[in-house]
Amino acid sequence: MAKTIKFSLDGRHLSALEGETVLEAAERSGVRIPHYCWHKALGNPGNCRMCVVEVEGTTKLQVSCRLLAREGLVIRSVTSAARRAQASALELHLLDHPLDCPVCDQSGECGLQDYYMDIGRYPSAMREDKAHAGKSIPLGPHIMLDQERCIMCTRCTRFTSQVSKSHELGIFGRGHSQVVDVVPGRTLDNPYSGNLADVCPVGALTDRDFRFQVRVWYLDETESVCPGCSRGCAIFAHTSTRRPWHNKGRRLARLKPRYDSDVNGHWMCDAGRYGFADFDSDRLGKVMRLKPAAAELSWEAAQREVAAALRRKSAEGLAVVASGALSNEDWKAFKSLFVDTLKASRFLFSPEPDQVGVEDELLRRREKVPNLEGGKTLGFGTQIQSMSWDGLAKDIGAGKVWGLYVVDRDPVKVWGEKGRKLLERLDLLVYQGPCKGLSGDLAHYRLPAAAWLEEEGHFINFQGHVQGYRQALKPLGAAKPDWEIFAGMEKDARV
Amino acid sequence: MTKLLTAHFDEPKLHELETYRRLGGYEGLKKALAMGREALMAEMGKSNLRGLGGAGFGAAMKWSTVPPESKNPGPRYVVANCDESEPGCFKDRVLVTRNPHQLIEGLLIAAFAIDAYRAFIFIRGEYEVQYKILEKALDEARAAGLIGACSIDLMRGAGAYISGLDTALLETMEGKKAWPRQPPPFPTAAGLMGRPTVVNNVETLCMAPHIVLHGGDWFVKLGTPKSGGTVLFSVSGHVADPGVYEFPMGTPLKDILTAAGGVRGGKKLKAVIPGGVSTPVMTSDELDTPMDFEGPRAKGTFLGAGGVIVLDETVDMVMVAHNIERFLSHESCGQCTPCRQGSFWHERILERALSGGGTAEDLVALERAGENITGQVICALGDTVGVVTRALMKKFPEDFKSRFPERRG
């Protein structure tokens, strides 16, 4: 166990771990000292000079991001001398800043605005023309650069050199004419580039996806978990429902990483961040019987009809396709319905080949679904083995499978056009999911499920961490969480 | 008067090995190797040799903070800082041009003192002639077997003022942007490539052979108790005979001006910048100041690197301030905000004042900005941004009042 060091900050008694700086210890204890360049994961170059504090016994003010906490240190960050130095550093940061807050996406969550209100509020003494530099420079697919707004904290260049290790960004030129820019001949397109909009404390690096879509103060924030892979990064979902005409009518405005030391640290990947941009497109909202006589059904009627249809022939010939996209709650109801009640024996939930992708050392995992582990705790993958798509196709082709229940997966996408013919041979195809996909129109029954942001639930990531996610949006139309659909059906299936 | 570094400057071929050796060159190195590391460090310690690049840090102290091989095994380095970029300073250029072997000898002594087998001379890119002279001298020394197991590499700078600062110089040598590091750790603990490194000014290293030959006690007696030996002054500006002058530490400023022929053209002296443009100005009333590391400090300024700039009565101090701030703003490395933005702000305010647009309010802004920059930056060069103009404002208020008049409405 590391030794703890006791020191005082503005009269409060804080404790630091050995080797921790005053600023780190303060942040950990929830005490705010102004800062730009320091970032817990990116180091402390000490170039912004915002975190200056007074140390009892010394005359010179010191930057707390480089001041190691020592036993008995008495530190003051709110004295007039410290505040004057902080305000002066802020004044110099803002000297050539364009003050284009009305058209800046960072507005409302900007370090310059926040500290001006906290410690600034000085009248401007700047009478010269402001220096100009490049504006709205697209650096890559996701990030837009405004060099005039940059305060040279170097968080972005440290991110590309230390975290993404892709080295696209550099600081070019010298002194007041230096700028952040992308290295000649390259574009900023690493798999983690979206994090740059987060690490930038001002509006110099903004998200192209989010640009001019909605002002941040109209957003609602919900704690969630990214369903993009088995890492399950802790995230915030920022939703826009109060001004429905903003953000091109889309309810999900953006996803942001939420700090979790055990899972994702400060980051998330671009695939997760931007992969859900079309969250509201291709969505299902009606409970439908499509064949033989097409009609919109009530949930009660649909559950009754589907339950009866599932029992019409032998359980031997009933196959169920699901995936690690199910939450723990879904898995439980799923097992109860299909394993315990209907005694189905053919299951397909392996992520191969449609739910696997690129893996790397930082965050991304090969399995592009969040909760295979949740299924495993109930025996899916241990007692109950997953069949392959090829095996399923063979069984349907050979007439061994008469009924197929598909939960949020797309056989046509996996099998291609021959998949349509296979699905048409089935006596019963039930399709359940938030989106229609390519297979939704081929089903006898099509049941709308709530998407992950529209329900509460839990995922277990590949490390075994159980993580809860909260409901951010209302389900569309008649959509219900998967577990509710399974549970509703089970009553009728049990007879 | 004893001269050490410039003693044989009237020898026409001093830069050649043969001449240098005839005059006793490389005897210091021979003696140092013979006396051993501990005795050498003891002599250096007694000498009170201060770092003559401007910081005045004890040279022996710096060498002794390099951890011994047993505590930190692996390579350690010595770097001769010849990135002389301070306006007003040109002593290193003269030392290298006239007597390159003196530097090589000093560098080898320093390398021996800290057990380094690799040494570097980092020379500013603009010193092309000096680079060639050093290259030739190194060839000569190598051929004569003087460098021994140690290797000396020459590296050229790319023209940034900030590279003259030790930690920025190390960054440059590593191929990075010349942004100063923020100690700790100091270079003697983790310098070039993270290894213990001593960075010494050219003049400091040139002193080493003389200390070894004549002893630390002899050396310290040449100067003042706290600043041993002699020091070079690069005298420029409105004097009759500008040039490099060697004086014992503690020589009064007026003696230095007299040696340089006094103010030229019969004009009256107005001000002296004692140690290069980054040191605060002194008035003509302060000529009795003893020029060592302590004397100017008592007057609120610094010995710096001995770049004495003499200004006569015709000089407008606002123009001086503008000239210096424009230089600092152009050369600010841009790493920390107060220096980067502050110097540029200073430059713009002073420029406006020179074109007739100054007001008394600007003086308040300059004073306040200057105060807030000083002490709030990463390196010593950043501090000067705030100090230099404020010293000029304080010591020559009339010049500033006429450029920054009270305006109404």
Side-chain angles (χ1 to χ4, degrees):
Chain A
M1 170 111 183
K3 211 179 90 187
T4 58
I5 295 153
K6 289 188 167 52
F7 69 100
S8 96
L9 173 62
D10 298 323
R12 268 178 280 203
H13 296 287
L14 299 185
S15 63
L17 307 173
E18 212 168 350
E20 219 173 18
T21 62
V22 167
L23 181 56
E24 276 173 320
E27 283 283 316
R28 202 169 36 74
S29 315
V31 184
R32 302 278 295 169
I33 300 175
H35 63 269
Y36 292 126
C37 68
W38 176 79
H39 185 286
K40 195 170 166 20
L42 299 172
N44 53 345
N47 61 38
C48 76
R49 315 310 284 185
M50 289 294 292
C51 66
V52 283
V53 292
E54 258 186 80
V55 183
E56 199 168 275
T58 62
T59 49
K60 204 177 161 182
L61 296 173
Q62 299 191 40
V63 283
S64 56
C65 71
R66 296 188 66 86
L67 177 65
L68 280 181
R70 291 191 307 272
E71 192 67 41
L73 215 54
V74 179
I75 292 162
R76 297 188 183 90
S77 73
V78 293
T79 58
S80 60
R83 277 290 190 242
R84 193 170 61 232
Q86 292 161 4
S88 161
L90 180 66
E91 180 182 22
L92 292 163
H93 278 297
L94 281 167
L95 210 59
D96 282 305
H97 186 85
L99 297 177
D100 54 353
C101 308
V103 295
C104 177
D105 277 323
Q106 191 79 7
S107 198
E109 50 184 14
C110 173
L112 292 168
Q113 290 179 332
D114 291 350
Y115 292 145
Y116 183 79
M117 297 312 289
D118 283 354
I119 58 171
R121 300 204 190 207
Y122 51 80
S124 175
M126 169 75 170
R127 293 178 53 206
E128 322 308 317
D129 292 337
K130 298 216 175 203
H132 292 291
K135 293 190 84 72
S136 49
I137 304 166
L139 294 184
H142 302 305
I143 297 294
M144 188 71 88
L145 167 68
D146 185 309
Q147 293 171 332
E148 285 186 355
R149 296 178 191 153
C150 175
I151 58 165
M152 286 292 153
C153 69
T154 69
R155 278 186 181 188
C156 56
T157 55
R158 282 179 279 145
F159 180 86
T160 54
S161 66
Q162 295 167 24
V163 180
S164 71
K165 297 192 170 74
S166 47
H167 308 278
E168 299 102 332
L169 294 182
I171 291 171
F172 299 88
R174 188 176 66 204
H176 59 81
S177 54
Q178 79 189 2
V179 289
V180 165
D181 208 341
V182 75
V183 171
R186 298 197 59 184
T187 50
L188 181 73
D189 56 359
N190 69 66
Y192 294 92
S193 67
N195 293 297
L196 287 163
D198 304 338
V199 298
C200 180
V202 299
L205 297 174
T206 49
D207 207 322
R208 292 180 71 181
D209 194 56
F210 183 66
R211 192 170 157 84
F212 301 148
Q213 293 302 314
V214 50
R215 309 274 14 188
V216 296
W217 48 87
Y218 293 136
L219 295 175
D220 294 305
E221 183 174 271
T222 311
E223 286 186 8
S224 189
V225 174
C226 176
C229 78
S230 61
R231 169 78 55 181
C233 291
I235 58 170
F236 287 116
H238 287 172
T239 48
S240 163
T241 51
R242 286 183 273 171
R243 295 287 188 284
W245 54 92
H246 287 171
N247 198 31
K248 298 196 184 91
R250 293 170 304 181
R251 296 180 300 162
L252 176 60
R254 62 180 182 182
L255 301 178
K256 288 260 179 196
R258 173 162 58 89
Y259 179 69
D260 189 320
S261 59
D262 295 331
V263 179
N264 55 317
H266 298 268
W267 323 120
M268 71 184 292
C269 75
D270 288 0
R273 187 187 297 258
Y274 303 111
F276 305 95
D278 293 330
F279 181 76
D280 278 343
S281 64
D282 191 37
R283 291 292 302 277
L284 299 175
K286 288 177 182 167
V287 186
M288 294 295 292
R289 178 177 64 219
L290 300 174
K291 287 187 276 192
E296 184 178 348
L297 303 175
S298 71
W299 272 113
E300 289 72 24
Q303 282 162 359
R304 210 167 41 239
E305 282 189 30
V306 172
L310 289 169
R311 297 176 63 91
R312 201 174 300 146
K313 289 193 180 180
S314 74
E316 187 81 345
L318 179 61
V320 188
V321 172
S323 74
L326 296 177
S327 69
N328 289 352
E329 293 78 357
D330 297 335
W331 274 119
K332 184 78 174 63
F334 176 86
K335 188 185 181 195
S336 183
L337 173 65
F338 290 108
V339 180
D340 302 340
T341 303
L342 291 170
K343 316 277 187 216
S345 54
R346 286 184 163 85
F347 288 94
L348 191 162
F349 48 85
S350 153
E352 311 283 345
D354 51 324
Q355 293 177 330
V356 293
V358 191
E359 176 169 87
D360 64 27
E361 285 172 359
L362 189 52
L363 296 177
R364 295 185 298 169
R365 304 284 305 167
R366 186 165 178 275
E367 311 78 36
K368 299 301 174 195
V369 280
N371 200 27
L372 282 168
E373 288 297 316
K376 218 180 252 177
T377 58
L378 294 173
F380 291 93
T382 50
Q383 291 108 332
I384 304 163
Q385 294 304 320
S386 173
M387 63 195 307
S388 68
W389 284 100
D390 284 348
L392 180 60
K394 220 174 274 169
D395 287 354
I396 296 174
K400 287 186 195 164
V401 170
W402 59 268
L404 181 64
Y405 197 113
V406 176
V407 185
D408 193 13
R409 240 169 142 171
D410 203 334
V412 174
K413 213 168 147 194
V414 178
W415 286 330
E417 279 310 300
K418 69 165 187 181
R420 283 181 198 278
K421 295 219 170 62
L422 279 174
L423 293 181
E424 274 160 11
R425 294 182 58 160
L426 292 164
D427 292 346
L428 174 68
L429 173 64
V430 182
Y431 180 84
Q432 171 182 328
C435 302
K436 190 163 74 173
L438 300 174
S439 310
D441 281 336
L442 305 173
H444 295 87
Y445 293 94
R446 192 170 69 196
L447 311 177
W452 112 97
L453 284 178
E454 297 164 347
E455 60 179 34
E456 282 194 334
H458 293 80
F459 294 143
I460 305 177
N461 86 342
F462 78 101
Q463 300 157 301
H465 290 295
V466 182
Q467 304 185 90
Y469 56 95
R470 298 189 173 283
Q471 182 177 357
L473 295 165
K474 288 197 182 99
L476 289 178
K480 292 204 289 193
D482 291 296
W483 65 265
E484 233 180 290
I485 303 174
F486 299 142
M489 221 172 291
E490 199 187 329
K491 278 185 291 174
D492 298 312
R494 217 180 274 147
V495 191
Chain B
M1 210 175 326
T2 315
K3 287 184 178 174
L4 303 178
L5 306 191
T6 60
H8 303 295
F9 268 25
D10 43 5
E11 283 283 338
K13 297 205 165 174
L14 184 60
H15 60 282
E16 291 178 0
L17 181 60
E18 197 193 324
T19 320
Y20 184 65
R21 292 190 92 166
R22 177 164 53 77
L23 296 165
Y26 288 105
E27 290 302 316
L29 175 63
K30 206 197 256 176
K31 190 174 167 191
L33 295 176
M35 68 204 273
R37 201 159 283 133
E38 266 174 43
L40 167 64
M41 289 301 290
E43 284 308 317
M44 292 301 296
K46 278 190 269 180
S47 75
N48 269 358
L49 171 63
R50 306 277 294 261
L52 298 168
F57 191 77
M61 174 75 96
K62 191 186 265 187
W63 295 4
S64 66
T65 51
V66 175
E69 177 85 28
S70 57
K71 279 198 186 147
N72 190 343
R76 60 252 352 266
Y77 307 111
V78 195
V79 180
N81 182 351
C82 190
D83 192 73
E84 187 178 46
S85 311
E86 177 82 9
C89 296
F90 41 88
K91 59 178 177 78
D92 295 343
R93 187 184 73 203
V94 172
L95 281 173
V96 169
T97 316
R98 303 300 303 278
N99 197 351
H101 285 286
Q102 187 171 237
L103 168 62
I104 296 168
E105 187 179 1
L107 187 58
L108 289 169
I109 292 173
F112 174 65
I114 65 152
D115 204 9
Y117 285 84
R118 262 199 103 168
F120 299 87
I121 301 173
F122 186 92
I123 185 163
R124 70 181 285 200
E126 292 88 336
Y127 281 1
E128 197 179 349
V129 174
Q130 289 70 25
Y131 171 76
K132 285 178 181 154
I133 291 170
L134 270 175
E135 212 173 26
K136 203 165 164 221
L138 282 169
D139 285 345
E140 283 181 315
R142 272 189 213 108
L146 291 162
I147 294 180
C150 190
S151 76
I152 299 180
D153 288 297
L154 263 175
M155 286 184 90
R156 298 182 71 185
Y161 170 69
I162 194 66
S163 290
L165 186 92
D166 55 359
T167 54
L169 184 146
L170 294 173
E171 289 283 298
T172 312
M173 289 179 72
E174 290 178 8
K176 300 181 197 150
K177 201 170 163 63
W179 276 9
R181 297 174 188 168
Q182 201 164 187
F186 288 91
T188 46
L192 187 61
M193 303 296 179
R195 297 296 309 160
T197 306
V198 163
V199 182
N200 275 145
N201 176 254
V202 165
E203 188 183 348
T204 316
L205 289 168
C206 286
M207 292 290 181
H210 302 280
I211 294 168
V212 173
L213 275 181
H214 303 290
D217 290 327
W218 170 85
F219 185 83
V220 76
K221 275 187 205 130
L222 294 177
T224 56
K226 285 186 178 168
S227 311
T230 61
V231 57
L232 301 192
F233 293 99
S234 319
V235 186
S236 65
H238 299 140
V239 285
D241 300 315
V244 172
Y245 295 87
E246 184 171 5
F247 279 102
M249 280 282 188
T251 304
L253 182 55
K254 62 171 180 284
D255 292 3
I256 298 162
L257 297 193
T258 309
V263 180
R264 73 176 182 204
K267 296 265 175 30
K268 267 171 64 185
L269 179 72
K270 184 166 184 178
V272 179
I273 296 172
V277 295
S278 61
T279 55
V281 71
M282 296 167 83
T283 64
S284 53
D285 302 333
E286 295 170 317
L287 295 185
D288 292 329
T289 309
M291 295 298 280
D292 56 7
F293 281 102
E294 286 69 37
R297 185 157 284 194
K299 299 284 190 327
T301 181
F302 306 99
L303 178 67
V308 177
I309 302 170
V310 180
L311 303 169
D312 73 16
E313 57 188 330
T314 63
V315 174
D316 175 355
M317 288 302 170
V318 180
M319 286 177 105
V320 172
H322 174 251
N323 186 307
I324 297 174
E325 292 292 353
R326 188 182 54 186
F327 173 80
L328 293 174
S329 145
H330 182 257
E331 292 296 341
S332 169
C333 80
Q335 182 176 202
C336 59
T337 306
C339 169
R340 179 184 71 241
Q341 292 298 118
S343 58
F344 190 34
W345 195 14
H346 273 71
E347 180 194 346
R348 283 181 283 179
I349 293 176
L350 291 161
E351 194 159 295
R352 177 159 48 78
L354 288 180
S355 55
T359 74
E361 286 163 13
D362 294 325
L363 287 182
V364 180
L366 278 177
E367 178 71 34
R368 191 173 53 87
E371 230 170 73
N372 288 330
I373 294 163
T374 311
Q376 297 305 323
V377 285
I378 292 172
C379 78
L381 299 181
D383 277 334
T384 65
V385 170
V387 171
V388 168
T389 298
R390 270 192 304 145
L392 286 163
M393 284 162 62
K394 191 175 151 208
K395 294 194 172 174
F396 300 93
E398 295 308 315
D399 290 31
F400 279 83
K401 259 181 208 151
S402 66
R403 290 285 192 183
F404 294 92
E406 294 279 354
R407 285 178 209 263
R408 281 163 196 250

